[in-house]
Amino acid sequence: MKQILFKNTNISYSDTGKGTAIVLLHGFLENKGMWDFYIPEFAKKNRVITIDLLGQGETECLSYVQTMEDNADAVHAVLSELRIRKAIFVGHSMGGYVALAFAELYPDTIKGLVLLNSTARADSEERKTNRDRAIKAVKQSFMNFVSLSIANLFSESNRERLSYEIESVKKEALKTPLQGIVASLEGMKIRQDREVLLHLTPYPKLLILGEKDPVLNYEETKEQIENTAVKLVTFPDGHMSHIENQDQLLIVLLAFFKSI
C-alpha cells in the first residue's frame, strides 16, 4: 500500500508492473481490493494503478460532500506523483462517474476509457430521491443498509451461487466509514451529465453492461451510445460484472488494452 497527501487527506493506492498505465477505479462501497484478481494479468504487460476513492477503503474522507470532481482531482494527484502523463481508465459504477469527471477535467491524460456497469448520465429526479432515502437509511442502520445494498447489486439468479463472494464484498463494504458513504451518495446525487463525452472525445471507449443489472436499466443505459464509436459488451448478469462474469471480463479488458 502506498499513500500520498492530497488537501491534507491521505489517498491510498497501489502501483504494479510496467508499460502503458491502466488506472482502475472502484465503485461505491468498494475499494481497490476489488481488482485483486485482475492485477496480476494486467501487470504482465501494463503498469496498473488502483486507487481508493475519497472516504472509501484506506483513503480518508475529504469533506461532507465528495464530488466526482473532488475524486478526479485526487486521482490526478496520484498520477502526478507517479509522473504518469497518459493512461487507460477503467471505472466500475461510481468509478465510471469519476473517470468521466477526470476525462472532462484532464482530457489530455486519457488514452482509453472503459465504463463498467456505469453511465455518463446524471441522476434522474427519482434516483436523487433514492439517494436521499439511502442517506437516511444508512444513518439509521449502517449494517442493514450495507448488507441489502450489496446483495441488490447481483442478479437474482446469482445471489445463491455467489453467496460466498457476496459475503466477502459485504465485509469489505462494512469497512467504509459512515461519513464516506454519505459524502459519496451526496456527490453522486449532484454529478453532472457527461454523455457528450461519449460522442465527442477521440480516444477508444468501451461500455460494459449487465443485461439484468438491478441498478442500471440496460436499455436506457445503452441508448446513450447510439450514433457513437463507443463499443458495447453485454453480459447476461447484474451490476457486478467483475465477479459475476469474471473470466469473460478479463478477456474483454485484455483485448481492449491490446487494441489501443
mmCIF file of all heavy atoms in Angstrom, residues 187-221:
data_model
loop_
_atom_site.group_PDB
_atom_site.id
_atom_site.type_symbol
_atom_site.label_atom_id
_atom_site.label_comp_id
_atom_site.label_asym_id
_atom_site.label_seq_id
_atom_site.Cartn_x
_atom_site.Cartn_y
_atom_site.Cartn_z
ATOM 1 N N GLY A 187 -22.310 13.214 -3.354
ATOM 2 C CA GLY A 187 -21.543 13.554 -4.553
ATOM 3 C C GLY A 187 -22.136 12.962 -5.817
ATOM 4 O O GLY A 187 -22.189 13.618 -6.865
ATOM 5 N N MET A 188 -22.592 11.711 -5.732
ATOM 6 C CA MET A 188 -23.212 11.072 -6.910
ATOM 7 C C MET A 188 -24.521 11.755 -7.277
ATOM 8 O O MET A 188 -24.846 11.906 -8.455
ATOM 9 C CB MET A 188 -23.446 9.579 -6.639
ATOM 10 C CG MET A 188 -22.171 8.752 -6.650
ATOM 11 S SD MET A 188 -22.478 6.959 -6.594
ATOM 12 C CE MET A 188 -22.918 6.739 -4.868
ATOM 13 N N LYS A 189 -25.244 12.183 -6.261
ATOM 14 C CA LYS A 189 -26.560 12.814 -6.474
ATOM 15 C C LYS A 189 -26.451 14.095 -7.297
ATOM 16 O O LYS A 189 -27.339 14.398 -8.104
ATOM 17 C CB LYS A 189 -27.196 13.104 -5.103
ATOM 18 C CG LYS A 189 -28.598 13.657 -5.151
ATOM 19 C CD LYS A 189 -29.169 13.844 -3.753
ATOM 20 C CE LYS A 189 -28.612 15.067 -3.077
ATOM 21 N NZ LYS A 189 -29.199 15.320 -1.743
ATOM 22 N N ILE A 190 -25.359 14.835 -7.114
ATOM 23 C CA ILE A 190 -25.237 16.140 -7.790
ATOM 24 C C ILE A 190 -24.289 16.090 -8.995
ATOM 25 O O ILE A 190 -23.928 17.127 -9.546
ATOM 26 C CB ILE A 190 -24.766 17.238 -6.799
ATOM 27 C CG1 ILE A 190 -23.398 16.891 -6.205
ATOM 28 C CG2 ILE A 190 -25.812 17.469 -5.708
ATOM 29 C CD1 ILE A 190 -22.756 18.018 -5.405
ATOM 30 N N ARG A 191 -23.907 14.892 -9.409
ATOM 31 C CA ARG A 191 -22.931 14.821 -10.513
ATOM 32 C C ARG A 191 -23.559 15.313 -11.825
ATOM 33 O O ARG A 191 -24.765 15.211 -12.037
ATOM 34 C CB ARG A 191 -22.385 13.404 -10.667
ATOM 35 C CG ARG A 191 -23.332 12.421 -11.302
ATOM 36 C CD ARG A 191 -22.719 11.030 -11.423
ATOM 37 N NE ARG A 191 -23.587 10.179 -12.220
ATOM 38 C CZ ARG A 191 -24.673 9.574 -11.762
ATOM 39 N NH1 ARG A 191 -25.028 9.728 -10.494
ATOM 40 N NH2 ARG A 191 -25.406 8.827 -12.560
ATOM 41 N N GLN A 192 -22.690 15.816 -12.694
ATOM 42 C CA GLN A 192 -23.142 16.361 -13.975
ATOM 43 C C GLN A 192 -23.372 15.257 -15.002
ATOM 44 O O GLN A 192 -22.794 14.179 -14.913
ATOM 45 C CB GLN A 192 -22.081 17.323 -14.520
ATOM 46 C CG GLN A 192 -21.881 18.565 -13.681
ATOM 47 C CD GLN A 192 -20.725 19.403 -14.208
ATOM 48 O OE1 GLN A 192 -20.480 19.456 -15.402
ATOM 49 N NE2 GLN A 192 -20.019 20.065 -13.309
ATOM 50 N N ASP A 193 -24.212 15.588 -15.987
ATOM 51 C CA ASP A 193 -24.393 14.694 -17.138
ATOM 52 C C ASP A 193 -23.196 14.865 -18.067
ATOM 53 O O ASP A 193 -22.850 15.977 -18.443
ATOM 54 C CB ASP A 193 -25.690 15.076 -17.865
ATOM 55 C CG ASP A 193 -26.064 14.057 -18.928
ATOM 56 O OD1 ASP A 193 -25.241 13.843 -19.840
ATOM 57 O OD2 ASP A 193 -27.156 13.488 -18.861
ATOM 58 N N ARG A 194 -22.551 13.755 -18.401
ATOM 59 C CA ARG A 194 -21.360 13.841 -19.259
ATOM 60 C C ARG A 194 -21.505 12.973 -20.515
ATOM 61 O O ARG A 194 -20.519 12.500 -21.074
ATOM 62 C CB ARG A 194 -20.110 13.451 -18.458
ATOM 63 C CG ARG A 194 -19.791 14.461 -17.357
ATOM 64 C CD ARG A 194 -18.443 14.252 -16.722
ATOM 65 N NE ARG A 194 -18.053 15.431 -15.956
ATOM 66 C CZ ARG A 194 -18.301 15.600 -14.652
ATOM 67 N NH1 ARG A 194 -18.934 14.659 -13.977
ATOM 68 N NH2 ARG A 194 -17.920 16.704 -14.033
ATOM 69 N N GLU A 195 -22.737 12.802 -20.956
ATOM 70 C CA GLU A 195 -22.998 11.984 -22.144
ATOM 71 C C GLU A 195 -22.275 12.531 -23.374
ATOM 72 O O GLU A 195 -21.844 11.769 -24.250
ATOM 73 C CB GLU A 195 -24.505 11.912 -22.403
ATOM 74 C CG GLU A 195 -24.892 10.842 -23.398
ATOM 75 C CD GLU A 195 -26.402 10.707 -23.555
ATOM 76 O OE1 GLU A 195 -27.161 11.070 -22.633
ATOM 77 O OE2 GLU A 195 -26.821 10.220 -24.615
ATOM 78 N N VAL A 196 -22.095 13.838 -23.423
ATOM 79 C CA VAL A 196 -21.425 14.467 -24.570
ATOM 80 C C VAL A 196 -20.013 13.905 -24.771
ATOM 81 O O VAL A 196 -19.520 13.825 -25.902
ATOM 82 C CB VAL A 196 -21.405 16.010 -24.401
ATOM 83 C CG1 VAL A 196 -20.520 16.430 -23.238
ATOM 84 C CG2 VAL A 196 -20.962 16.694 -25.681
ATOM 85 N N LEU A 197 -19.362 13.494 -23.686
ATOM 86 C CA LEU A 197 -18.004 12.947 -23.797
ATOM 87 C C LEU A 197 -17.983 11.644 -24.608
ATOM 88 O O LEU A 197 -16.986 11.340 -25.265
ATOM 89 C CB LEU A 197 -17.411 12.682 -22.410
ATOM 90 C CG LEU A 197 -17.133 13.903 -21.529
ATOM 91 C CD1 LEU A 197 -16.581 13.477 -20.181
ATOM 92 C CD2 LEU A 197 -16.165 14.863 -22.209
ATOM 93 N N LEU A 198 -19.084 10.906 -24.564
ATOM 94 C CA LEU A 198 -19.154 9.656 -25.330
ATOM 95 C C LEU A 198 -19.238 9.936 -26.825
ATOM 96 O O LEU A 198 -18.863 9.099 -27.649
ATOM 97 C CB LEU A 198 -20.359 8.823 -24.881
ATOM 98 C CG LEU A 198 -20.391 8.413 -23.396
ATOM 99 C CD1 LEU A 198 -21.627 7.573 -23.105
ATOM 100 C CD2 LEU A 198 -19.128 7.661 -22.996
ATOM 101 N N HIS A 199 -19.731 11.107 -27.160
ATOM 102 C CA HIS A 199 -19.918 11.473 -28.574
ATOM 103 C C HIS A 199 -18.718 12.207 -29.168
ATOM 104 O O HIS A 199 -18.398 12.011 -30.338
ATOM 105 C CB HIS A 199 -21.166 12.363 -28.727
ATOM 106 C CG HIS A 199 -22.446 11.636 -28.462
ATOM 107 N ND1 HIS A 199 -23.269 11.184 -29.472
ATOM 108 C CD2 HIS A 199 -23.035 11.259 -27.296
ATOM 109 C CE1 HIS A 199 -24.318 10.567 -28.939
ATOM 110 N NE2 HIS A 199 -24.192 10.608 -27.629
ATOM 111 N N LEU A 200 -18.059 13.030 -28.370
ATOM 112 C CA LEU A 200 -17.095 13.977 -28.946
ATOM 113 C C LEU A 200 -15.626 13.686 -28.660
ATOM 114 O O LEU A 200 -14.758 14.295 -29.268
ATOM 115 C CB LEU A 200 -17.424 15.396 -28.468
ATOM 116 C CG LEU A 200 -18.802 15.944 -28.863
ATOM 117 C CD1 LEU A 200 -18.976 17.362 -28.348
ATOM 118 C CD2 LEU A 200 -18.998 15.918 -30.382
ATOM 119 N N THR A 201 -15.321 12.780 -27.735
ATOM 120 C CA THR A 201 -13.912 12.546 -27.398
ATOM 121 C C THR A 201 -13.271 11.569 -28.386
ATOM 122 O O THR A 201 -13.931 10.663 -28.890
ATOM 123 C CB THR A 201 -13.780 12.004 -25.962
ATOM 124 O OG1 THR A 201 -14.696 10.912 -25.789
ATOM 125 C CG2 THR A 201 -14.083 13.086 -24.949
ATOM 126 N N PRO A 202 -11.960 11.746 -28.660
ATOM 127 C CA PRO A 202 -11.319 10.997 -29.743
ATOM 128 C C PRO A 202 -10.771 9.616 -29.385
ATOM 129 O O PRO A 202 -10.495 8.812 -30.274
ATOM 130 C CB PRO A 202 -10.143 11.921 -30.126
ATOM 131 C CG PRO A 202 -9.792 12.621 -28.848
ATOM 132 C CD PRO A 202 -11.081 12.794 -28.102
ATOM 133 N N TYR A 203 -10.600 9.332 -28.103
ATOM 134 C CA TYR A 203 -9.938 8.074 -27.706
ATOM 135 C C TYR A 203 -10.926 6.890 -27.714
ATOM 136 O O TYR A 203 -12.146 7.091 -27.660
ATOM 137 C CB TYR A 203 -9.302 8.235 -26.312
ATOM 138 C CG TYR A 203 -10.167 9.001 -25.339
ATOM 139 C CD1 TYR A 203 -11.244 8.412 -24.689
ATOM 140 C CD2 TYR A 203 -9.917 10.358 -25.087
ATOM 141 C CE1 TYR A 203 -12.036 9.125 -23.809
ATOM 142 C CE2 TYR A 203 -10.705 11.086 -24.208
ATOM 143 C CZ TYR A 203 -11.773 10.459 -23.575
ATOM 144 O OH TYR A 203 -12.563 11.171 -22.721
ATOM 145 N N PRO A 204 -10.406 5.656 -27.763
ATOM 146 C CA PRO A 204 -11.290 4.476 -27.764
ATOM 147 C C PRO A 204 -12.083 4.381 -26.458
ATOM 148 O O PRO A 204 -11.550 4.657 -25.376
ATOM 149 C CB PRO A 204 -10.318 3.298 -27.890
ATOM 150 C CG PRO A 204 -9.037 3.879 -28.363
ATOM 151 C CD PRO A 204 -8.988 5.282 -27.858
ATOM 152 N N LYS A 205 -13.341 3.993 -26.595
ATOM 153 C CA LYS A 205 -14.220 3.875 -25.427
ATOM 154 C C LYS A 205 -15.006 2.565 -25.492
ATOM 155 O O LYS A 205 -15.397 2.130 -26.572
ATOM 156 C CB LYS A 205 -15.200 5.060 -25.376
ATOM 157 C CG LYS A 205 -14.511 6.386 -25.097
ATOM 158 C CD LYS A 205 -15.447 7.569 -25.222
ATOM 159 C CE LYS A 205 -15.776 7.923 -26.658
ATOM 160 N NZ LYS A 205 -14.656 8.452 -27.427
ATOM 161 N N LEU A 206 -15.243 2.000 -24.322
ATOM 162 C CA LEU A 206 -15.960 0.729 -24.214
ATOM 163 C C LEU A 206 -16.965 0.827 -23.078
ATOM 164 O O LEU A 206 -16.631 1.290 -21.977
ATOM 165 C CB LEU A 206 -14.952 -0.399 -23.939
ATOM 166 C CG LEU A 206 -15.490 -1.813 -23.690
ATOM 167 C CD1 LEU A 206 -16.215 -2.358 -24.910
ATOM 168 C CD2 LEU A 206 -14.338 -2.748 -23.294
ATOM 169 N N LEU A 207 -18.200 0.419 -23.338
ATOM 170 C CA LEU A 207 -19.249 0.364 -22.316
ATOM 171 C C LEU A 207 -19.576 -1.102 -22.067
ATOM 172 O O LEU A 207 -19.890 -1.843 -23.008
ATOM 173 C CB LEU A 207 -20.491 1.122 -22.793
ATOM 174 C CG LEU A 207 -21.715 1.117 -21.870
ATOM 175 C CD1 LEU A 207 -21.423 1.821 -20.549
ATOM 176 C CD2 LEU A 207 -22.923 1.770 -22.556
ATOM 177 N N ILE A 208 -19.465 -1.532 -20.818
ATOM 178 C CA ILE A 208 -19.758 -2.921 -20.451
ATOM 179 C C ILE A 208 -20.950 -2.925 -19.502
ATOM 180 O O ILE A 208 -20.912 -2.288 -18.438
ATOM 181 C CB ILE A 208 -18.536 -3.589 -19.776
ATOM 182 C CG1 ILE A 208 -17.317 -3.552 -20.714
ATOM 183 C CG2 ILE A 208 -18.863 -5.025 -19.383
ATOM 184 C CD1 ILE A 208 -16.020 -4.009 -20.068
ATOM 185 N N LEU A 209 -21.996 -3.617 -19.888
ATOM 186 C CA LEU A 209 -23.235 -3.623 -19.105
ATOM 187 C C LEU A 209 -23.695 -5.044 -18.782
ATOM 188 O O LEU A 209 -23.388 -5.989 -19.512
ATOM 189 C CB LEU A 209 -24.350 -2.917 -19.879
ATOM 190 C CG LEU A 209 -24.132 -1.442 -20.240
ATOM 191 C CD1 LEU A 209 -25.292 -0.940 -21.088
ATOM 192 C CD2 LEU A 209 -23.969 -0.589 -18.986
ATOM 193 N N GLY A 210 -24.457 -5.154 -17.702
ATOM 194 C CA GLY A 210 -25.137 -6.399 -17.368
ATOM 195 C C GLY A 210 -26.594 -6.290 -17.783
ATOM 196 O O GLY A 210 -27.268 -5.311 -17.450
ATOM 197 N N GLU A 211 -27.072 -7.275 -18.507
ATOM 198 C CA GLU A 211 -28.441 -7.222 -19.029
ATOM 199 C C GLU A 211 -29.482 -7.234 -17.914
ATOM 200 O O GLU A 211 -30.564 -6.678 -18.048
ATOM 201 C CB GLU A 211 -28.668 -8.419 -19.959
ATOM 202 C CG GLU A 211 -29.666 -8.142 -21.049
ATOM 203 C CD GLU A 211 -29.625 -9.189 -22.157
ATOM 204 O OE1 GLU A 211 -28.832 -10.142 -22.083
ATOM 205 O OE2 GLU A 211 -30.416 -9.038 -23.091
ATOM 206 N N LYS A 212 -29.140 -7.862 -16.778
ATOM 207 C CA LYS A 212 -30.087 -7.931 -15.648
ATOM 208 C C LYS A 212 -29.605 -7.064 -14.491
ATOM 209 O O LYS A 212 -29.840 -7.382 -13.330
ATOM 210 C CB LYS A 212 -30.238 -9.378 -15.189
ATOM 211 C CG LYS A 212 -30.866 -10.296 -16.235
ATOM 212 C CD LYS A 212 -30.869 -11.728 -15.742
ATOM 213 C CE LYS A 212 -31.254 -12.675 -16.870
ATOM 214 N NZ LYS A 212 -30.811 -14.054 -16.598
ATOM 215 N N ASP A 213 -28.928 -5.984 -14.803
ATOM 216 C CA ASP A 213 -28.407 -5.077 -13.773
ATOM 217 C C ASP A 213 -29.569 -4.495 -12.975
ATOM 218 O O ASP A 213 -30.434 -3.817 -13.540
ATOM 219 C CB ASP A 213 -27.606 -3.953 -14.452
ATOM 220 C CG ASP A 213 -26.820 -3.107 -13.463
ATOM 221 O OD1 ASP A 213 -27.306 -2.892 -12.340
ATOM 222 O OD2 ASP A 213 -25.722 -2.656 -13.821
ATOM 223 N N PRO A 214 -29.636 -4.745 -11.651
ATOM 224 C CA PRO A 214 -30.736 -4.214 -10.838
ATOM 225 C C PRO A 214 -30.623 -2.712 -10.599
ATOM 226 O O PRO A 214 -31.576 -2.079 -10.161
ATOM 227 C CB PRO A 214 -30.616 -4.970 -9.508
ATOM 228 C CG PRO A 214 -29.598 -6.046 -9.727
ATOM 229 C CD PRO A 214 -28.717 -5.580 -10.847
ATOM 230 N N VAL A 215 -29.447 -2.135 -10.868
ATOM 231 C CA VAL A 215 -29.204 -0.724 -10.565
ATOM 232 C C VAL A 215 -29.367 0.157 -11.797
ATOM 233 O O VAL A 215 -29.979 1.219 -11.747
ATOM 234 C CB VAL A 215 -27.776 -0.540 -9.991
ATOM 235 C CG1 VAL A 215 -27.505 0.929 -9.674
ATOM 236 C CG2 VAL A 215 -27.583 -1.397 -8.757
ATOM 237 N N LEU A 216 -28.797 -0.287 -12.930
ATOM 238 C CA LEU A 216 -28.855 0.487 -14.171
ATOM 239 C C LEU A 216 -29.793 -0.205 -15.163
ATOM 240 O O LEU A 216 -29.600 -1.379 -15.455
ATOM 241 C CB LEU A 216 -27.466 0.571 -14.819
ATOM 242 C CG LEU A 216 -26.402 1.432 -14.146
ATOM 243 C CD1 LEU A 216 -25.082 1.272 -14.898
ATOM 244 C CD2 LEU A 216 -26.812 2.890 -14.103
ATOM 245 N N ASN A 217 -30.755 0.529 -15.664
ATOM 246 C CA ASN A 217 -31.635 -0.031 -16.684
ATOM 247 C C ASN A 217 -30.840 -0.258 -17.968
ATOM 248 O O ASN A 217 -30.282 0.684 -18.534
ATOM 249 C CB ASN A 217 -32.814 0.917 -16.937
ATOM 250 C CG ASN A 217 -33.772 0.377 -17.984
ATOM 251 O OD1 ASN A 217 -33.461 0.371 -19.179
ATOM 252 N ND2 ASN A 217 -34.912 -0.090 -17.535
ATOM 253 N N TYR A 218 -30.781 -1.498 -18.401
ATOM 254 C CA TYR A 218 -29.921 -1.872 -19.526
ATOM 255 C C TYR A 218 -30.281 -1.099 -20.802
ATOM 256 O O TYR A 218 -29.409 -0.503 -21.445
ATOM 257 C CB TYR A 218 -30.009 -3.380 -19.769
ATOM 258 C CG TYR A 218 -29.280 -3.831 -21.015
ATOM 259 C CD1 TYR A 218 -27.890 -3.844 -21.061
ATOM 260 C CD2 TYR A 218 -29.987 -4.237 -22.155
ATOM 261 C CE1 TYR A 218 -27.212 -4.240 -22.208
ATOM 262 C CE2 TYR A 218 -29.318 -4.639 -23.303
ATOM 263 C CZ TYR A 218 -27.927 -4.634 -23.326
ATOM 264 O OH TYR A 218 -27.264 -5.015 -24.464
ATOM 265 N N GLU A 219 -31.553 -1.106 -21.170
ATOM 266 C CA GLU A 219 -31.970 -0.460 -22.431
ATOM 267 C C GLU A 219 -31.705 1.044 -22.405
ATOM 268 O O GLU A 219 -31.200 1.618 -23.362
ATOM 269 C CB GLU A 219 -33.456 -0.732 -22.709
ATOM 270 C CG GLU A 219 -33.794 -2.195 -23.001
ATOM 271 C CD GLU A 219 -33.089 -2.742 -24.250
ATOM 272 O OE1 GLU A 219 -32.766 -1.951 -25.159
ATOM 273 O OE2 GLU A 219 -32.843 -3.962 -24.303
ATOM 274 N N GLU A 220 -32.034 1.670 -21.273
ATOM 275 C CA GLU A 220 -31.822 3.125 -21.157
ATOM 276 C C GLU A 220 -30.334 3.475 -21.184
ATOM 277 O O GLU A 220 -29.935 4.474 -21.790
ATOM 278 C CB GLU A 220 -32.427 3.640 -19.839
ATOM 279 C CG GLU A 220 -33.936 3.783 -19.868
ATOM 280 C CD GLU A 220 -34.490 4.251 -18.533
ATOM 281 O OE1 GLU A 220 -33.709 4.764 -17.701
ATOM 282 O OE2 GLU A 220 -35.708 4.081 -18.315
ATOM 283 N N THR A 221 -29.526 2.651 -20.537
ATOM 284 C CA THR A 221 -28.093 2.958 -20.458
ATOM 285 C C THR A 221 -27.420 2.810 -21.814
ATOM 286 O O THR A 221 -26.561 3.627 -22.181
ATOM 287 C CB THR A 221 -27.404 2.055 -19.415
ATOM 288 O OG1 THR A 221 -28.120 2.144 -18.181
ATOM 289 C CG2 THR A 221 -25.969 2.498 -19.158
#
